[in-house]
Amino acid sequence: MSIKIKNVYDKIVSPENLYRSAHRTLLKGLRYKENGADWKLRMEYHINKIHRQLTDFTYRHGKYQVFKVYYPKERTILAASITDRVVHHALHDVIEPIVDRKFINHSYACRLGRGQHAGIKAAKAMLQANDYCIHLDVKKFFYNIHRDTLLSIVRRTIKDEKADWLLTQIVDSSINHAFFQPAVSLSQLSLFDEMPEVNATGLPDAVRGLPIGNLTSQLLANWYLNELDQFVKHELKHSAYIRYMDDMVIFGNHAKDLNRIEKEISAFCNDKLMLALHDTGGASPYYHGLTFLGFRIFRDHTRVKSASVARFRNKLSYHIAHTDYRKKEGFDELFARAQSWNAHAANADTWQLRTKVFGRYPVTEFMMKNNFKTAKINQLLQWN
């Protein structure tokens, strides 16, 4: 789809858009933390400052805080400052609805009206209609996105030089600014599968990687792999395909055809996107099931992965042991955790599993039997 983005910079940097972006940035609990509360208290000052810097092009992306997460796999997360997150939101909220129109229907990650559970339902429907499938995923996807290739893709759509300037500031932010933790490599090169060649200046020829944690990184990563989506749809003309960020599944009724398509997809990723895929072992028959987005999917039923269940059991045991749930504050925290996993697991055939997990603890068992209705729980605990 030929879409061009023009004359959007004024909308991005408008005070109205910056205020909306600030409210969205502070929405998920950040406003209760010390730096979030202070930022909100001085919001007018911060918004005016951001607006002035973006208007006169003196804005420079700040430093990141760096930390690691270990589930579902070890990843290095770069956390931007609140000011920079507001700028990310301001850019994202203006261009994302336009760019989203470029994406295929079977791309499910970070898109309004789609998401993880919609992707699982679509994958199950495709598994029911096909005899074979292959699950593909990219090696260290965010760390290996080739920035120049990404920007060339983006610039085919964004024809606003000012918006391009801001986007480039954000894309290059983890290269141009040192992290708070000096032990972390400036360009994350230690995280790559292979080190890029270095030229006479000592800088890598192929600068790679997007910061995991930025809202804009999610959009740009989707945009990057949209090139593959379009190749599969229009060049390979294969419609039984689904993607959730860098997790992809192709379906078909003939194993040889799928193995051929896998090779063509792998070659496209290597040649056009400079990405490598993990080895798959080839097409798998439907009765082996499909592991996708934390679930085991079969034609007639769906299960939650055992590792996910074990992890939740451990976390639930820990929080019950360390939370005074007879107090409303403690209970609210426990309630949110239990309700979140219950809603997630309910997308599979897990009634007996959830009954067993929550049945170990009287308070969570009562939650489940009352469908997590807070009024009945409050009545039980005699809160006013």
Side-chain angles (χ1 to χ4, degrees), residues 208-263:
R208 297 174 181 263
L210 287 182
I212 300 177
N214 285 357
L215 179 63
T216 50
S217 294
Q218 298 173 5
L219 172 62
L220 293 171
N222 250 348
W223 202 340
Y224 198 66
L225 281 184
N226 178 61
E227 298 292 299
L228 174 61
D229 297 343
Q230 301 299 330
F231 172 74
V232 173
K233 181 178 179 180
H234 297 293
E235 299 296 327
L236 301 182
K237 299 188 183 303
H238 190 79
S239 59
Y241 164 85
I242 188 171
R243 181 174 67 81
Y244 188 97
M245 200 53 74
D246 64 316
D247 277 332
M248 300 156 282
V249 189
I250 49 176
F251 301 84
N253 288 315
H254 303 285
K256 288 185 178 179
D257 288 343
L258 282 190
N259 292 335
R260 174 184 55 79
I261 291 171
E262 178 191 4
K263 290 180 180 179

Short mmCIF file of all heavy atoms in Angstrom, two decimals, residues 208-263:
data_model
loop_
_atom_site.label_atom_id
_atom_site.label_comp_id
_atom_site.label_asym_id
_atom_site.label_seq_id
_atom_site.Cartn_x
_atom_site.Cartn_y
_atom_site.Cartn_z
N ARG A 208 23.87 -1.60 14.41
CA ARG A 208 22.66 -2.39 14.58
C ARG A 208 22.01 -2.12 15.92
O ARG A 208 22.63 -1.65 16.84
CB ARG A 208 22.98 -3.89 14.48
CG ARG A 208 23.52 -4.35 13.14
CD ARG A 208 23.94 -5.81 13.23
NE ARG A 208 24.48 -6.30 11.97
CZ ARG A 208 23.78 -6.97 11.07
NH1 ARG A 208 22.51 -7.24 11.29
NH2 ARG A 208 24.35 -7.38 9.95
N GLY A 209 20.74 -2.49 16.01
CA GLY A 209 20.05 -2.54 17.29
C GLY A 209 19.11 -1.39 17.55
O GLY A 209 19.40 -0.24 17.24
N LEU A 210 17.94 -1.74 18.11
CA LEU A 210 17.00 -0.76 18.64
C LEU A 210 16.86 -0.99 20.13
O LEU A 210 16.87 -2.15 20.58
CB LEU A 210 15.62 -0.91 17.98
CG LEU A 210 15.45 -0.46 16.54
CD1 LEU A 210 14.01 -0.66 16.10
CD2 LEU A 210 15.85 1.00 16.37
N PRO A 211 16.71 0.07 20.91
CA PRO A 211 16.56 -0.11 22.36
C PRO A 211 15.28 -0.86 22.69
O PRO A 211 14.18 -0.44 22.31
CB PRO A 211 16.51 1.33 22.89
CG PRO A 211 17.08 2.17 21.81
CD PRO A 211 16.74 1.48 20.53
N ILE A 212 15.39 -1.99 23.37
CA ILE A 212 14.21 -2.69 23.86
C ILE A 212 13.66 -1.89 25.03
O ILE A 212 14.35 -1.63 26.00
CB ILE A 212 14.55 -4.12 24.31
CG1 ILE A 212 15.12 -4.92 23.14
CG2 ILE A 212 13.33 -4.83 24.86
CD1 ILE A 212 15.55 -6.32 23.51
N GLY A 213 12.43 -1.50 24.96
CA GLY A 213 11.82 -0.69 26.00
C GLY A 213 11.18 0.58 25.48
O GLY A 213 10.29 1.13 26.12
N ASN A 214 11.63 1.06 24.32
CA ASN A 214 11.03 2.26 23.72
C ASN A 214 9.73 1.91 23.01
O ASN A 214 9.65 0.92 22.27
CB ASN A 214 11.99 2.90 22.71
CG ASN A 214 13.13 3.63 23.39
OD1 ASN A 214 13.20 3.70 24.61
ND2 ASN A 214 14.04 4.16 22.59
N LEU A 215 8.72 2.74 23.19
CA LEU A 215 7.47 2.56 22.47
C LEU A 215 7.70 2.63 20.96
O LEU A 215 7.11 1.86 20.19
CB LEU A 215 6.46 3.63 22.90
CG LEU A 215 5.09 3.63 22.23
CD1 LEU A 215 4.35 2.33 22.55
CD2 LEU A 215 4.27 4.84 22.68
N THR A 216 8.55 3.53 20.54
CA THR A 216 8.83 3.67 19.11
C THR A 216 9.53 2.44 18.56
O THR A 216 9.37 2.11 17.38
CB THR A 216 9.70 4.91 18.86
OG1 THR A 216 10.82 4.89 19.76
CG2 THR A 216 8.91 6.19 19.06
N SER A 217 10.30 1.74 19.38
CA SER A 217 11.00 0.54 18.91
C SER A 217 10.02 -0.54 18.48
O SER A 217 10.26 -1.28 17.52
CB SER A 217 11.94 0.01 19.99
OG SER A 217 12.99 0.90 20.24
N GLN A 218 8.90 -0.65 19.19
CA GLN A 218 7.89 -1.65 18.84
C GLN A 218 7.31 -1.36 17.46
O GLN A 218 7.18 -2.26 16.62
CB GLN A 218 6.78 -1.66 19.89
CG GLN A 218 7.24 -2.04 21.27
CD GLN A 218 6.14 -1.88 22.30
OE1 GLN A 218 5.00 -1.58 21.98
NE2 GLN A 218 6.48 -2.10 23.56
N LEU A 219 6.97 -0.10 17.22
CA LEU A 219 6.43 0.29 15.92
C LEU A 219 7.46 0.07 14.82
O LEU A 219 7.14 -0.49 13.75
CB LEU A 219 5.99 1.75 15.95
CG LEU A 219 5.56 2.36 14.60
CD1 LEU A 219 4.35 1.63 14.04
CD2 LEU A 219 5.28 3.86 14.76
N LEU A 220 8.69 0.51 15.05
CA LEU A 220 9.73 0.40 14.03
C LEU A 220 10.09 -1.06 13.74
O LEU A 220 10.36 -1.42 12.59
CB LEU A 220 10.96 1.18 14.46
CG LEU A 220 10.78 2.70 14.52
CD1 LEU A 220 11.99 3.36 15.18
CD2 LEU A 220 10.55 3.29 13.14
N ALA A 221 10.09 -1.90 14.77
CA ALA A 221 10.38 -3.31 14.55
C ALA A 221 9.28 -3.96 13.71
O ALA A 221 9.56 -4.78 12.82
CB ALA A 221 10.50 -4.03 15.90
N ASN A 222 8.03 -3.62 13.98
CA ASN A 222 6.93 -4.10 13.16
C ASN A 222 7.07 -3.62 11.72
O ASN A 222 6.81 -4.36 10.76
CB ASN A 222 5.60 -3.61 13.74
CG ASN A 222 4.79 -4.73 14.34
OD1 ASN A 222 5.08 -5.90 14.16
ND2 ASN A 222 3.74 -4.38 15.06
N TRP A 223 7.45 -2.37 11.58
CA TRP A 223 7.63 -1.76 10.26
C TRP A 223 8.74 -2.47 9.50
O TRP A 223 8.63 -2.71 8.29
CB TRP A 223 7.97 -0.29 10.47
CG TRP A 223 7.70 0.62 9.33
CD1 TRP A 223 7.54 0.30 8.01
CD2 TRP A 223 7.56 2.05 9.40
NE1 TRP A 223 7.32 1.43 7.27
CE2 TRP A 223 7.33 2.52 8.09
CE3 TRP A 223 7.62 2.97 10.45
CZ2 TRP A 223 7.16 3.87 7.81
CZ3 TRP A 223 7.46 4.32 10.17
CH2 TRP A 223 7.22 4.76 8.87
N TYR A 224 9.80 -2.81 10.19
CA TYR A 224 10.94 -3.50 9.59
C TYR A 224 10.52 -4.85 9.02
O TYR A 224 10.81 -5.18 7.86
CB TYR A 224 12.01 -3.68 10.66
CG TYR A 224 13.40 -3.98 10.15
CD1 TYR A 224 14.13 -3.05 9.43
CD2 TYR A 224 14.02 -5.20 10.44
CE1 TYR A 224 15.42 -3.31 8.99
CE2 TYR A 224 15.31 -5.47 10.02
CZ TYR A 224 16.01 -4.52 9.29
OH TYR A 224 17.29 -4.78 8.86
N LEU A 225 9.82 -5.65 9.82
CA LEU A 225 9.42 -6.98 9.36
C LEU A 225 8.19 -6.96 8.48
O LEU A 225 7.82 -8.00 7.91
CB LEU A 225 9.21 -7.91 10.56
CG LEU A 225 10.48 -8.48 11.19
CD1 LEU A 225 10.15 -9.46 12.30
CD2 LEU A 225 11.37 -9.15 10.14
N ASN A 226 7.56 -5.80 8.35
CA ASN A 226 6.48 -5.69 7.35
C ASN A 226 7.03 -5.95 5.95
O ASN A 226 6.29 -6.40 5.06
CB ASN A 226 5.84 -4.31 7.43
CG ASN A 226 4.75 -4.12 6.40
OD1 ASN A 226 3.74 -4.84 6.38
ND2 ASN A 226 4.93 -3.17 5.50
N GLU A 227 8.31 -5.67 5.74
CA GLU A 227 8.94 -5.99 4.46
C GLU A 227 8.84 -7.49 4.18
O GLU A 227 8.57 -7.91 3.04
CB GLU A 227 10.41 -5.56 4.47
CG GLU A 227 10.62 -4.07 4.65
CD GLU A 227 10.13 -3.28 3.44
OE1 GLU A 227 10.67 -3.51 2.33
OE2 GLU A 227 9.22 -2.45 3.60
N LEU A 228 9.07 -8.29 5.22
CA LEU A 228 8.95 -9.75 5.06
C LEU A 228 7.49 -10.14 4.84
O LEU A 228 7.19 -11.00 3.99
CB LEU A 228 9.50 -10.46 6.30
CG LEU A 228 9.30 -11.97 6.35
CD1 LEU A 228 9.99 -12.65 5.18
CD2 LEU A 228 9.80 -12.54 7.68
N ASP A 229 6.58 -9.52 5.59
CA ASP A 229 5.14 -9.82 5.42
C ASP A 229 4.71 -9.60 3.97
O ASP A 229 4.00 -10.43 3.38
CB ASP A 229 4.30 -8.93 6.33
CG ASP A 229 4.56 -9.17 7.81
OD1 ASP A 229 5.14 -10.22 8.15
OD2 ASP A 229 4.19 -8.30 8.62
N GLN A 230 5.14 -8.47 3.41
CA GLN A 230 4.75 -8.15 2.04
C GLN A 230 5.39 -9.13 1.05
O GLN A 230 4.76 -9.50 0.03
CB GLN A 230 5.16 -6.71 1.70
CG GLN A 230 4.55 -5.65 2.60
CD GLN A 230 3.03 -5.63 2.55
OE1 GLN A 230 2.42 -5.97 1.53
NE2 GLN A 230 2.40 -5.21 3.64
N PHE A 231 6.61 -9.57 1.33
CA PHE A 231 7.27 -10.56 0.48
C PHE A 231 6.51 -11.89 0.49
O PHE A 231 6.27 -12.50 -0.57
CB PHE A 231 8.70 -10.78 0.97
CG PHE A 231 9.42 -11.91 0.30
CD1 PHE A 231 9.87 -11.79 -1.01
CD2 PHE A 231 9.67 -13.10 0.98
CE1 PHE A 231 10.54 -12.85 -1.64
CE2 PHE A 231 10.34 -14.15 0.37
CZ PHE A 231 10.77 -14.03 -0.94
N VAL A 232 6.11 -12.33 1.67
CA VAL A 232 5.38 -13.60 1.78
C VAL A 232 4.03 -13.49 1.08
O VAL A 232 3.61 -14.40 0.35
CB VAL A 232 5.19 -13.99 3.26
CG1 VAL A 232 4.27 -15.21 3.38
CG2 VAL A 232 6.53 -14.27 3.92
N LYS A 233 3.37 -12.37 1.27
CA LYS A 233 2.02 -12.20 0.71
C LYS A 233 2.03 -11.99 -0.79
O LYS A 233 1.23 -12.62 -1.53
CB LYS A 233 1.32 -11.02 1.41
CG LYS A 233 -0.09 -10.76 0.92
CD LYS A 233 -0.73 -9.62 1.69
CE LYS A 233 -2.15 -9.34 1.18
NZ LYS A 233 -2.79 -8.24 1.94
N HIS A 234 2.91 -11.13 -1.29
CA HIS A 234 2.83 -10.71 -2.70
C HIS A 234 3.82 -11.44 -3.62
O HIS A 234 3.52 -11.65 -4.80
CB HIS A 234 3.05 -9.20 -2.81
CG HIS A 234 2.00 -8.39 -2.12
ND1 HIS A 234 0.70 -8.36 -2.55
CD2 HIS A 234 2.06 -7.60 -1.02
CE1 HIS A 234 -0.02 -7.57 -1.75
NE2 HIS A 234 0.79 -7.10 -0.81
N GLU A 235 4.98 -11.82 -3.08
CA GLU A 235 5.96 -12.52 -3.91
C GLU A 235 5.77 -14.04 -3.82
O GLU A 235 5.70 -14.73 -4.84
CB GLU A 235 7.38 -12.13 -3.49
CG GLU A 235 7.69 -10.65 -3.66
CD GLU A 235 7.64 -10.20 -5.11
OE1 GLU A 235 8.00 -11.01 -6.00
OE2 GLU A 235 7.25 -9.05 -5.36
N LEU A 236 5.71 -14.54 -2.60
CA LEU A 236 5.49 -15.98 -2.43
C LEU A 236 4.02 -16.35 -2.59
O LEU A 236 3.71 -17.52 -2.80
CB LEU A 236 5.99 -16.43 -1.06
CG LEU A 236 7.48 -16.19 -0.76
CD1 LEU A 236 7.83 -16.74 0.62
CD2 LEU A 236 8.36 -16.81 -1.83
N LYS A 237 3.15 -15.35 -2.43
CA LYS A 237 1.70 -15.55 -2.55
C LYS A 237 1.22 -16.67 -1.62
O LYS A 237 0.45 -17.55 -2.00
CB LYS A 237 1.32 -15.84 -4.00
CG LYS A 237 1.68 -14.70 -4.95
CD LYS A 237 1.12 -14.92 -6.32
CE LYS A 237 1.56 -13.79 -7.28
NZ LYS A 237 1.19 -12.45 -6.80
N HIS A 238 1.71 -16.61 -0.39
CA HIS A 238 1.34 -17.60 0.62
C HIS A 238 0.52 -16.91 1.70
O HIS A 238 1.03 -16.04 2.42
CB HIS A 238 2.59 -18.25 1.22
CG HIS A 238 2.31 -19.43 2.08
ND1 HIS A 238 2.03 -20.68 1.56
CD2 HIS A 238 2.24 -19.55 3.43
CE1 HIS A 238 1.81 -21.52 2.55
NE2 HIS A 238 1.93 -20.86 3.69
N SER A 239 -0.73 -17.26 1.82
CA SER A 239 -1.64 -16.56 2.73
C SER A 239 -1.71 -17.19 4.12
O SER A 239 -2.10 -16.52 5.08
CB SER A 239 -3.05 -16.51 2.14
OG SER A 239 -3.54 -17.82 1.90
N ALA A 240 -1.32 -18.46 4.25
CA ALA A 240 -1.39 -19.13 5.55
C ALA A 240 -0.14 -18.80 6.35
O ALA A 240 0.77 -19.62 6.53
CB ALA A 240 -1.55 -20.63 5.37
N TYR A 241 -0.10 -17.58 6.83
CA TYR A 241 1.10 -17.02 7.48
C TYR A 241 0.64 -16.08 8.56
O TYR A 241 -0.34 -15.34 8.40
CB TYR A 241 1.92 -16.28 6.42
CG TYR A 241 2.98 -15.33 6.93
CD1 TYR A 241 4.24 -15.79 7.27
CD2 TYR A 241 2.71 -13.96 7.05
CE1 TYR A 241 5.22 -14.90 7.71
CE2 TYR A 241 3.69 -13.08 7.48
CZ TYR A 241 4.95 -13.55 7.81
OH TYR A 241 5.91 -12.68 8.24
N ILE A 242 1.33 -16.12 9.69
CA ILE A 242 0.96 -15.25 10.80
C ILE A 242 2.24 -14.78 11.49
O ILE A 242 3.23 -15.52 11.56
CB ILE A 242 0.03 -16.00 11.81
CG1 ILE A 242 -0.51 -15.05 12.86
CG2 ILE A 242 0.75 -17.17 12.45
CD1 ILE A 242 -1.59 -15.69 13.72
N ARG A 243 2.23 -13.53 11.94
CA ARG A 243 3.43 -12.99 12.61
C ARG A 243 3.04 -12.21 13.85
O ARG A 243 2.09 -11.44 13.84
CB ARG A 243 4.22 -12.08 11.67
CG ARG A 243 5.50 -11.51 12.34
CD ARG A 243 6.35 -10.73 11.36
NE ARG A 243 5.71 -9.50 10.92
CZ ARG A 243 5.70 -8.36 11.62
NH1 ARG A 243 6.27 -8.30 12.81
NH2 ARG A 243 5.10 -7.28 11.13
N TYR A 244 3.80 -12.45 14.92
CA TYR A 244 3.70 -11.64 16.13
C TYR A 244 5.12 -11.18 16.45
O TYR A 244 5.93 -11.94 16.97
CB TYR A 244 3.11 -12.45 17.29
CG TYR A 244 2.81 -11.60 18.51
CD1 TYR A 244 1.52 -11.10 18.74
CD2 TYR A 244 3.81 -11.28 19.43
CE1 TYR A 244 1.24 -10.32 19.85
CE2 TYR A 244 3.54 -10.49 20.54
CZ TYR A 244 2.26 -10.01 20.74
OH TYR A 244 1.98 -9.22 21.84
N MET A 245 5.43 -9.93 16.09
CA MET A 245 6.78 -9.38 16.17
C MET A 245 7.73 -10.29 15.40
O MET A 245 7.56 -10.48 14.21
CB MET A 245 7.21 -9.14 17.62
CG MET A 245 8.35 -8.16 17.74
SD MET A 245 8.08 -6.55 16.91
CE MET A 245 6.91 -5.76 18.01
N ASP A 246 8.73 -10.91 16.05
CA ASP A 246 9.66 -11.74 15.28
C ASP A 246 9.32 -13.22 15.37
O ASP A 246 10.11 -14.07 14.94
CB ASP A 246 11.10 -11.50 15.74
CG ASP A 246 11.33 -11.92 17.19
OD1 ASP A 246 10.47 -11.60 18.04
OD2 ASP A 246 12.35 -12.55 17.48
N ASP A 247 8.16 -13.57 15.92
CA ASP A 247 7.66 -14.95 15.90
C ASP A 247 6.73 -15.10 14.71
O ASP A 247 5.71 -14.41 14.62
CB ASP A 247 6.91 -15.27 17.19
CG ASP A 247 7.83 -15.68 18.31
OD1 ASP A 247 8.91 -16.20 18.02
OD2 ASP A 247 7.48 -15.47 19.48
N MET A 248 7.05 -16.04 13.81
CA MET A 248 6.25 -16.24 12.60
C MET A 248 5.91 -17.71 12.45
O MET A 248 6.71 -18.58 12.85
CB MET A 248 7.04 -15.78 11.37
CG MET A 248 7.43 -14.30 11.38
SD MET A 248 8.88 -13.98 10.36
CE MET A 248 10.21 -14.55 11.43
N VAL A 249 4.74 -17.99 11.89
CA VAL A 249 4.36 -19.37 11.59
C VAL A 249 3.82 -19.42 10.17
O VAL A 249 3.02 -18.56 9.78
CB VAL A 249 3.29 -19.91 12.57
CG1 VAL A 249 3.10 -21.41 12.35
CG2 VAL A 249 3.67 -19.64 14.02
N ILE A 250 4.29 -20.40 9.40
CA ILE A 250 3.72 -20.65 8.09
C ILE A 250 3.01 -22.01 8.14
O ILE A 250 3.49 -22.95 8.79
CB ILE A 250 4.79 -20.64 6.97
CG1 ILE A 250 6.00 -21.52 7.34
CG2 ILE A 250 5.23 -19.22 6.68
CD1 ILE A 250 7.04 -21.63 6.22
N PHE A 251 1.88 -22.10 7.47
CA PHE A 251 1.05 -23.30 7.47
C PHE A 251 0.87 -23.78 6.04
O PHE A 251 0.90 -22.98 5.09
CB PHE A 251 -0.32 -23.02 8.08
CG PHE A 251 -0.30 -22.51 9.49
CD1 PHE A 251 -0.11 -21.15 9.76
CD2 PHE A 251 -0.46 -23.37 10.56
CE1 PHE A 251 -0.09 -20.67 11.06
CE2 PHE A 251 -0.44 -22.90 11.87
CZ PHE A 251 -0.26 -21.55 12.11
N GLY A 252 0.65 -25.08 5.88
CA GLY A 252 0.38 -25.63 4.56
C GLY A 252 0.02 -27.09 4.64
O GLY A 252 0.13 -27.72 5.71
N ASN A 253 -0.38 -27.66 3.52
CA ASN A 253 -0.78 -29.06 3.48
C ASN A 253 0.30 -29.98 2.92
O ASN A 253 0.10 -31.19 2.85
CB ASN A 253 -2.07 -29.22 2.67
CG ASN A 253 -3.28 -28.68 3.42
OD1 ASN A 253 -3.45 -28.94 4.60
ND2 ASN A 253 -4.10 -27.89 2.73
N HIS A 254 1.43 -29.39 2.52
CA HIS A 254 2.52 -30.20 1.95
C HIS A 254 3.84 -29.77 2.59
O HIS A 254 4.25 -28.61 2.49
CB HIS A 254 2.57 -30.04 0.44
CG HIS A 254 1.28 -30.38 -0.25
ND1 HIS A 254 0.86 -31.68 -0.43
CD2 HIS A 254 0.31 -29.59 -0.76
CE1 HIS A 254 -0.30 -31.68 -1.05
NE2 HIS A 254 -0.66 -30.42 -1.26
N ALA A 255 4.51 -30.72 3.22
CA ALA A 255 5.75 -30.43 3.94
C ALA A 255 6.83 -29.88 3.02
O ALA A 255 7.56 -28.96 3.38
CB ALA A 255 6.24 -31.69 4.65
N LYS A 256 6.95 -30.43 1.80
CA LYS A 256 7.99 -29.96 0.89
C LYS A 256 7.79 -28.50 0.51
O LYS A 256 8.75 -27.73 0.42
CB LYS A 256 8.00 -30.84 -0.37
CG LYS A 256 8.56 -32.24 -0.15
CD LYS A 256 8.63 -33.01 -1.46
CE LYS A 256 9.24 -34.39 -1.24
NZ LYS A 256 9.31 -35.16 -2.52
N ASP A 257 6.53 -28.11 0.29
CA ASP A 257 6.25 -26.72 -0.05
C ASP A 257 6.63 -25.79 1.09
O ASP A 257 7.22 -24.72 0.87
CB ASP A 257 4.76 -26.55 -0.38
CG ASP A 257 4.40 -27.18 -1.72
OD1 ASP A 257 5.31 -27.45 -2.52
OD2 ASP A 257 3.20 -27.41 -1.96
N LEU A 258 6.32 -26.19 2.32
CA LEU A 258 6.65 -25.35 3.48
C LEU A 258 8.16 -25.24 3.65
O LEU A 258 8.68 -24.16 3.98
CB LEU A 258 6.01 -25.91 4.75
CG LEU A 258 4.53 -25.64 4.96
CD1 LEU A 258 4.12 -26.06 6.38
CD2 LEU A 258 4.17 -24.19 4.74
N ASN A 259 8.87 -26.34 3.47
CA ASN A 259 10.32 -26.30 3.61
C ASN A 259 10.95 -25.38 2.56
O ASN A 259 11.92 -24.66 2.84
CB ASN A 259 10.90 -27.70 3.49
CG ASN A 259 10.53 -28.59 4.67
OD1 ASN A 259 10.25 -28.09 5.77
ND2 ASN A 259 10.49 -29.89 4.45
N ARG A 260 10.39 -25.37 1.35
CA ARG A 260 10.87 -24.46 0.32
C ARG A 260 10.59 -23.01 0.69
O ARG A 260 11.46 -22.13 0.54
CB ARG A 260 10.20 -24.80 -1.01
CG ARG A 260 10.52 -23.80 -2.13
CD ARG A 260 9.75 -24.12 -3.40
NE ARG A 260 8.32 -24.19 -3.18
CZ ARG A 260 7.52 -23.13 -3.07
NH1 ARG A 260 8.03 -21.90 -3.16
NH2 ARG A 260 6.21 -23.28 -2.88
N ILE A 261 9.39 -22.75 1.19
CA ILE A 261 9.02 -21.39 1.60
C ILE A 261 9.91 -20.91 2.75
O ILE A 261 10.33 -19.75 2.78
CB ILE A 261 7.53 -21.34 2.00
CG1 ILE A 261 6.65 -21.54 0.75
CG2 ILE A 261 7.18 -20.01 2.68
CD1 ILE A 261 5.18 -21.72 1.06
N GLU A 262 10.22 -21.81 3.67
CA GLU A 262 11.10 -21.45 4.78
C GLU A 262 12.46 -20.99 4.25
O GLU A 262 13.03 -19.99 4.72
CB GLU A 262 11.29 -22.63 5.73
CG GLU A 262 12.25 -22.31 6.88
CD GLU A 262 12.66 -23.52 7.68
OE1 GLU A 262 12.27 -24.65 7.32
OE2 GLU A 262 13.38 -23.33 8.69
N LYS A 263 12.99 -21.69 3.27
CA LYS A 263 14.29 -21.32 2.69
C LYS A 263 14.22 -19.95 2.04
O LYS A 263 15.15 -19.13 2.15
CB LYS A 263 14.74 -22.38 1.70
CG LYS A 263 15.15 -23.70 2.34
CD LYS A 263 15.58 -24.71 1.28
CE LYS A 263 15.97 -26.03 1.92
NZ LYS A 263 16.37 -27.05 0.90
#
